[in-house]
Amino acid sequence: ELDGLLGSRPEDTIPPRILGHCGNVLALLGRNEDAIACYTKLLAREPDSIPALLRLASLEIDTGDWQSANAHLRLLLTHDPDHPGGLYTMGRLLHRVGELDQAESCYRRAAEIDPRQVQVWNNLGNLYKERERWDEAAQCYEQALALDPDRPVLRHLLAAMRGHDLATADPEYVRSLFDGYAPRFDEDL
């Protein structure tokens, strides 16, 4: 039905709001290229749409189009330099391309602006862990768990970092690892 809606009307007659909703649904369905096309059409009509810029950049990071993601995030942050989602997503991009100092700066600024973002604390903890800054990583994981205690991977990482006996892993941790890995198992073989 979604394809019918998008294909049955001239592009300029689809309201931008509907293009945004279609992009959201297509992204949830894993149809990233189609979602990117919806956000791109939306931005052609509303070039300053912060939600569209953010969602598009996030998909571009996930699909490896880092140059486009960078351009869209810079535009977003030009309009709203303190947008916590924009800063977090820029941190993701910079982290992904190995610009760890800048990624840390973006994550920290996003956490200052909105300290309730679990994913910011999680990613900042991961960055510190990569840099072997164990105490700072543990503090970030603790902050993330305080906000959302239902994160078995974080609980396991924190326990390992604190030196707790991990002779047997929490079944929730093992399940989340397998569930997270299952979609790409065949591809990784």
Side-chain angles (χ1 to χ4, degrees):
E1 290 181 37
L2 192 59
D3 292 323
L5 169 69
L6 294 173
S8 67
R9 297 173 62 176
E11 286 181 20
D12 61 347
T13 65
I14 301 173
R17 175 179 56 82
I18 299 300
L19 287 170
H21 291 314
C22 288
N24 296 344
V25 170
L26 290 164
L28 287 171
L29 294 172
R31 293 176 52 187
N32 291 344
E33 295 305 319
D34 293 329
I36 287 170
C38 282
Y39 296 132
T40 301
K41 290 173 188 174
L42 188 159
L43 287 167
R45 295 183 41 212
E46 292 184 3
D48 298 335
S49 171
I50 288 178
L53 287 166
L54 184 60
R55 290 181 187 117
L56 179 58
S58 186
L59 285 169
E60 289 166 339
I61 292 169
D62 293 343
T63 59
D65 186 358
W66 298 331
Q67 188 173 8
S68 295
N70 185 47
H72 289 119
L73 287 167
R74 289 198 183 282
L75 181 58
L76 183 156
L77 292 169
T78 297
H79 292 297
D80 186 355
D82 291 328
H83 191 282
L87 289 163
Y88 162 72
T89 306
M90 180 61 89
R92 278 185 56 220
L93 172 63
L94 293 166
H95 196 164
R96 195 73 66 89
V97 300
E99 299 290 337
L100 301 185
D101 289 337
Q102 292 100 328
E104 178 182 350
S105 178
C106 286
Y107 288 149
R108 291 186 67 71
R109 183 70 183 128
E112 287 171 14
I113 294 167
D114 184 1
R116 297 164 297 151
Q117 292 189 79
V118 174
Q119 215 44 49
V120 170
W121 293 109
N122 178 71
N123 285 22
L124 186 56
N126 290 342
L127 185 143
Y128 287 145
K129 184 172 63 82
E130 288 171 29
R131 296 181 120 183
E132 298 182 3
R133 291 165 57 182
W134 308 115
D135 289 338
E136 290 165 292
Q139 289 171 358
C140 290
Y141 293 150
E142 287 169 351
Q143 183 66 32
L145 285 168
L147 294 166
D148 183 3
D150 190 32
R151 298 225 171 204
V153 173
L154 282 181
R155 281 197 312 270
H156 184 82
L157 282 173
L158 187 57
M161 293 174 77
R162 295 286 189 225
H164 297 159
D165 179 21
L166 297 175
T168 58
D170 179 339
E172 287 181 58
Y173 167 70
V174 174
R175 186 174 13 269
S176 71
L177 280 181
F178 281 102
D179 288 349
Y181 186 64
R184 59 179 208 273
F185 178 79
D186 289 334
E187 182 180 312
D188 287 352
L189 277 180

